[in-house]
Amino acid sequence: MTPVHPVVAFARRLADGWWRSGMLAVYTDEDRDSAQIRAAHLGAVIRLTPFTMAANFLNGALVVWAYRDNRPAGMWAWLAALYALCLMALVGWWRGRRRVRTMATPAAIRHANVHANLPALVWAILPILWFAHAQPQQQILVVALVTGMLAAGAFVLSPLPVAATWFVAIFASAGVVACWLTGDRLFVAVGCLQTIYALVVVLGTLAMSRKATALLKSQAEAKRQERVMAVLLHDFEQNAAEALWETARDGCVAHHSPRLSALLGVDEAVLRQRPFLEILARIGVDVAPLRAALEAERPFKDLRLSARVPQGARHWAINGKPLDDDEARIVGWRGVIADVTEQVMAQERLQHLAHTDSLTGLANRFTLHGALRAAIAQQRLVALLALDLDHFKLVNDTHGHAAGDQLLQHVAARLLACRRPPDLVARLGGDEFAVLVLDDDAGAVDVDALSQRLIDVLEEPVDVGGRATRASASIGVARPSRAGDAAVSADDLLVHADIALYAAKKAGRGRHETYSSDLGDRNRRSVTIEQELRQAIQRGELELHWQPKVDIESSRLVGAEVLLRWRHAQLGSVAPIEFIPIAERSGVIREIGMWVLRQACAVAASALPGLVISVNVSPAQLHDDAFIDCVRDSLRASGLDPARLELEITESVFIDDVEGALQRLHALRALGVRVALDDFGTGYSSLAYLRRFPFDTLKIDRAFVNELMNAIDTRAIVQMIAQLAVTLNMRTVAEGVESPAQLSAVTAVGCDEIQGWLVSPACPLDEFLAFRKGWAHKPLALVEQVRALGAVQPT
């Protein structure tokens, strides 16, 4: 059998594929889909008419100019015929340029095939009649024109494969005849090459046409599915809380329904008569964001709109996408609008709870920290006053926590009464308050006089539960850095104020002290701690302690938090609350944190099977580029299952670099590690971060647990946190549970796990192993205790 040339074999397969796939059938079938596809193909060719005719004009002029020295007879007539055809094509294009073609008959395609090849026939005259006797330079021009127009024409006419095939055939035939008429063997060879080249061009053109037809069929199917979706969306609108909206080209509502009318609070007749933006503006909506989104001509999602109506504030969330015609022109918009008033108001309430103290209504630590940073940046800070009530614990122990809460409320009211308009009063927690003194146009502020006035006002008797009670206070004052001094941050000022407050208490309470470099002992100790910390790992002075975490429902030991302890030869046992901030400030926390992580993973893998271990991570560690690799290496070296490692962070990691922190948290999640948000509810917590990162665990701070028994507001906050965690598929851990009554209270509000002295204090590994071994036999049954005590209600 004679072998078949590869090009011929490919052509056979391509042609067979065309007929099998029915791609050519769209040019002859009478169904609606084929008519729409034909119209799209025809439109694609017609849109290029001005450019192709311009090319014909220029090429014809170039040929006549090239033959200027030996112009053959009849060439002017040839050019006239070419220009006449081009002008006819341009006139036809101009008349139908605004026409939107949605359907095309097979006759229209045949008509287009003929008209597309009339110029080709005129061009074929050029090589046949005037190539053989032309000069070499003229022959080169003719060869270039024939070859270029063959390829370009095939490309332009590819949506019409029959026209493209005839176009190539005409040009190729003319070229072959012209080469044969020269009688030159070289030109005969060129003619053969041109035949092969034309065949390849035809095959490529057919392949392009096939892909274009397949794409148009897919688009037609997509539109069909869109119509089905419209029916489904109509059903959705009748039964869902949202409503569909759709506008036409003029901006008026094209799709109106009773649901949309009810959602916007306007009559359905108004929907039919007015543009959508005007309707929204009439009900008080600021339409500028929506107008900008529409003008951007891109889909938008969850755009919030708000209006103030007699019944109160209304909020909507709106999504939309443009509607295009076959010419890719926007002819309207369609989307969904939902009333999110309740969600927005709930979020605002939670935001308020997150930024204010629930007992006193003052700003909380998070708000104070933000205001302090802003005041420093704006150079408006005069002083920061840290205020602590003297012997407040005695009031709680003597008269009860309810009396203590009432006293705190009176203190807050008196501080607010003494506050100047620009100042900020905050409650930091417990009996700790702060006053942010800011500069204004009223003149200089005597901070010492203000501090003494606060002390004097608070010492006045106050009626608490029918008893006259005096609340003395101590105040620590921190001032911003002066010109020439090193700049201090918000955290530094808080520390300075605490140091001064400690000095005031140490000096006898009921007084105020201003931070200065002479307050010495504590600063010198901090310097010593920082220096000694750098050698603590090498000297083996650091030790891990383990505090168990217990599942409330099953009383099962499910995990342990790793806590760092440091015993120094001269300093003795240094509390973490003292050396951890110093380690973070000095940068030693990175080395210590890596050591803790490696040790914790190794111990968990070898000695604590089945338990999830929690390791605290400071902001300095998380912001370290090497931290992710450290976690990965620790897991790999120990062989610990990543799901058994939980990293606890506080929301302070987001203060300086939100995006960087979120990126690293997602990288940790990619390793399979669990992430917990520690101290949730202390004032740093923000719902925005819960939305942007799916934490595994929320840890409720011990301050809330301590107030849970006596404060209704605290109970409501903790219950809201627990419900929020359930909604977001997170677990809640209550810290600092020290009594069965507290256990019953955190159980009643829906917490999942507890951690605290009720179960066990943090202890070394050997004691923890012994504790774990005996836990199953220990007569502490959490479930039974809860049932016995019942739900403890706040007084």
Side-chain angles (χ1 to χ4, degrees):
M1 180 180 293
T2 304
V4 179
H5 193 276
V7 174
V8 177
F10 175 74
R12 289 177 178 176
R13 289 196 301 271
L14 183 64
D16 184 63
W18 265 82
W19 290 112
R20 287 175 181 269
S21 63
M23 289 296 178
L24 285 176
V26 299
Y27 296 96
T28 57
D29 290 347
E30 298 291 343
D31 60 279
R32 180 183 180 87
D33 289 344
S34 297
Q36 291 176 339
I37 292 174
R38 286 193 296 268
H41 282 321
L42 189 58
V45 174
I46 292 176
R47 279 194 296 272
L48 296 176
T49 297
F51 306 102
T52 56
M53 294 305 104
N56 276 278
F57 270 106
L58 292 175
N59 290 340
L62 181 61
V63 169
V64 173
W65 176 81
Y67 278 86
R68 64 189 179 279
D69 295 331
N70 58 338
R71 186 174 295 116
M75 182 166 282
W76 284 112
W78 169 83
L79 183 63
L82 177 64
Y83 279 11
L85 289 175
C86 292
L87 288 172
M88 290 172 58
L90 286 173
V91 169
W93 168 80
W94 179 261
R95 289 176 177 175
R97 69 188 186 282
R98 300 187 184 280
R99 177 186 173 190
V100 178
R101 295 175 178 82
T102 58
M103 300 284 185
T105 64
I109 296 297
R110 291 192 296 269
H111 183 78
N113 291 340
V114 172
H115 278 265
N117 283 284
L118 288 177
L121 292 173
V122 174
W123 274 106
I125 297 172
L126 173 65
I128 293 174
L129 296 182
W130 303 313
F131 179 79
H133 304 291
Q135 297 175 2
Q137 296 89 340
Q138 295 168 340
Q139 290 179 333
I140 292 174
L141 174 65
V142 172
V143 170
L145 280 175
V146 170
T147 306
M149 293 188 69
L150 182 149
F155 177 79
V156 170
L157 294 173
S158 60
L160 304 175
V162 173
T165 302
W166 277 109
F167 189 89
V168 172
I170 291 170
F171 268 90
S173 300
V176 171
V177 171
C179 291
W180 178 77
L181 290 175
T182 61
D184 191 320
R185 293 182 179 180
L186 179 60
F187 277 112
V188 172
V190 170
C192 294
L193 291 175
Q194 191 172 28
T195 302
I196 297 174
Y197 173 63
L199 178 60
V200 173
V201 170
V202 168
L203 296 178
T205 301
L206 295 178
M208 290 175 58
S209 177
R210 181 180 182 182
K211 290 183 178 180
T213 300
L215 176 61
L216 290 172
K217 285 188 174 182
S218 299
Q219 292 174 345
E221 179 62 25
K223 288 184 178 180
R224 238 187 330 264
Q225 293 177 0
E226 187 175 351
R227 289 193 292 270
V228 174
M229 286 298 299
V231 175
L232 296 177
L233 287 174
H234 176 73
D235 181 68
F236 155 80
E237 185 181 43
Q238 301 303 316
N239 300 281
E242 297 86 357
L244 294 176
W245 65 276
E246 182 177 335
T247 61
R249 191 192 301 269
D250 58 1
C252 292
V253 177
H255 175 83
H256 46 79
S257 66
R259 177 60 191 160
L260 180 60
S261 174
L263 201 66
L264 297 179
V266 298
D267 292 334
E268 195 168 351
V270 176
L271 292 178
R272 298 189 185 98
Q273 300 168 359
R274 302 287 183 178
F276 189 50
L277 290 178
E278 182 180 334
I279 293 171
L280 294 176
R282 289 181 63 181
I283 62 176
V285 176
D286 179 10
V287 297
L290 180 56
R291 188 187 305 276
L294 297 177
E295 291 175 353
E297 298 186 351
R298 291 192 299 269
F300 57 89
K301 182 178 181 182
D302 200 26
L303 180 67
R304 293 302 176 96
L305 304 175
S306 300
R308 182 70 62 177
V309 296
Q311 296 77 16
R314 293 282 304 277
H315 304 276
W316 298 272
I318 185 169
N319 304 338
K321 68 173 184 177
L323 301 177
D324 300 335
D325 61 11
D326 293 335
E327 301 288 332
R329 294 175 298 189
I330 295 179
V331 295
W333 288 80
R334 178 186 296 157
V336 176
I337 184 171
D339 190 330
V340 294
T341 302
E342 293 186 3
Q343 296 92 313
V344 171
M345 295 182 66
Q347 186 173 8
E348 289 176 351
R349 288 193 295 268
L350 289 175
Q351 285 287 92
H352 177 75
L353 291 173
H355 288 80
T356 58
D357 176 63
S358 60
L359 178 64
T360 63
L362 298 177
N364 59 19
R365 183 183 296 271
F366 178 73
T367 304
L368 173 69
H369 197 283
L372 183 56
R373 286 189 290 116
I376 294 173
Q378 299 167 6
Q379 298 183 347
R380 295 186 58 220
L381 178 64
V382 175
L384 172 65
L385 278 57
L387 185 149
D388 188 87
L389 300 183
D390 300 328
H391 308 296
F392 177 73
K393 186 175 184 300
L394 183 61
V395 176
N396 275 337
D397 294 343
T398 304
H399 305 298
H401 288 282
D405 290 346
Q406 190 176 355
L407 177 59
L408 292 174
Q409 291 170 340
H410 281 292
V411 169
R414 291 186 175 182
L415 291 176
L416 286 174
C418 297
R419 176 185 69 90
R420 301 178 312 127
D423 298 343
L424 174 71
V425 180
R427 183 189 177 207
L428 305 182
D431 60 341
E432 298 179 20
F433 295 84
V435 179
L436 194 61
V437 184
L438 301 176
D439 190 13
D440 62 1
D441 298 331
V445 182
D446 188 340
V447 177
D448 291 336
L450 175 62
S451 300
Q452 189 58 50
R453 182 187 174 198
L454 293 177
I455 293 172
D456 295 340
V457 167
L458 293 179
E459 284 183 347
E460 295 177 2
V462 59
D463 182 16
V464 176
R467 304 180 185 88
T469 304
R470 292 181 180 272
S472 65
S474 301
I475 296 178
V477 179
R479 298 178 183 270
S481 57
R482 295 171 296 182
D485 295 342
V488 293
S489 66
D491 290 328
D492 291 333
L493 283 172
L494 288 168
V495 172
H496 292 176
D498 281 340
I499 293 174
L501 175 62
Y502 176 78
K505 284 183 172 293
K506 190 174 181 180
R509 304 177 187 271
R511 56 182 296 155
H512 62 90
E513 291 285 348
T514 301
Y515 174 83
S516 68
S517 56
D518 300 333
L519 283 178
D521 289 343
R522 189 164 185 172
N523 282 342
R524 284 192 291 272
R525 178 175 172 84
S526 297
V527 173
T528 302
I529 288 175
E530 179 179 341
Q531 293 172 345
E532 297 301 313
L533 265 178
R534 299 184 185 278
Q535 305 297 325
I537 295 178
Q538 289 75 9
R539 291 197 293 254
E541 296 172 351
L542 299 180
E543 180 184 8
L544 299 184
H545 282 204
W546 306 77
Q547 186 171 36
K549 292 194 289 187
V550 174
D551 180 79
I552 296 177
E553 183 177 358
S554 65
S555 298
R556 187 168 56 89
L557 187 64
V558 294
E561 181 176 359
V562 181
L563 300 172
L564 184 62
R565 298 292 183 262
W566 179 27
R567 181 171 294 279
H568 188 268
Q570 285 77 38
L571 299 176
S573 180
V574 186
I577 196 173
E578 184 178 11
F579 73 79
I580 290 296
I582 297 175
E584 291 178 339
R585 192 164 56 248
S586 63
V588 184
I589 193 66
R590 293 179 174 86
E591 182 181 357
I592 293 176
M594 288 191 291
W595 179 85
V596 170
L597 191 59
R598 287 193 293 266
Q599 294 295 318
C601 290
V603 172
S606 60
L608 302 175
L611 294 186
V612 175
I613 61 165
S614 301
V615 179
N616 290 283
V617 177
S618 72
Q621 286 178 267
L622 190 65
H623 292 156
D624 186 0
D625 293 335
F627 179 68
I628 306 299
D629 291 334
C630 175
V631 175
R632 184 186 295 107
D633 295 342
S634 299
L635 291 171
R636 185 185 298 115
S638 63
L640 180 67
D641 181 1
R644 289 182 54 208
L645 174 62
E646 183 173 71
L647 301 179
E648 295 187 7
I649 66 166
T650 61
E651 202 153 344
S652 58
V653 303
F654 298 110
I655 291 179
D656 295 324
D657 183 11
V658 175
E659 297 303 328
L662 288 173
Q663 182 180 359
R664 290 178 175 87
L665 289 177
H666 282 290
L668 290 171
R669 173 59 58 80
L671 295 178
V673 173
R674 299 169 58 87
V675 182
L677 184 58
D678 201 4
D679 297 337
F680 189 82
T682 59
Y684 281 87
S685 304
S686 170
L687 297 177
Y689 302 127
L690 297 185
R691 180 174 59 86
R692 298 185 67 181
F693 183 80
F695 292 95
D696 298 285
T697 306
L698 298 181
K699 299 196 71 175
I700 300 173
D701 187 71
R702 65 178 64 245
F704 272 1
V705 175
N706 291 337
E707 296 181 6
L708 193 60
M709 303 293 298
N710 305 298
I712 295 177
D713 289 342
T714 300
R715 182 182 181 87
I717 292 174
V718 176
Q719 190 166 16
M720 185 177 297
I721 293 172
Q723 293 173 350
L724 178 65
V726 171
T727 302
L728 299 177
N729 197 25
M730 302 176 187
R731 290 184 65 82
T732 49
V733 178
E735 298 182 292
V737 178
E738 300 180 358
S739 68
Q742 288 179 336
L743 167 62
S744 180
V746 299
T747 302
V749 296
C751 294
D752 300 308
E753 301 175 16
I754 63 167
Q755 176 183 346
W757 279 57
L758 178 63
V759 178
S760 170
C763 55
L765 180 61
D766 54 350
E767 296 181 20
F768 182 82
L769 293 175
F771 167 82
R772 184 186 186 189
K773 184 176 181 181
W775 174 255
H777 309 291
K778 189 174 181 178
L780 174 62
L782 301 181
V783 176
E784 284 72 9
Q785 288 198 29
V786 172
R787 290 174 178 172
L789 287 170
V792 178
Q793 301 295 329
T795 60

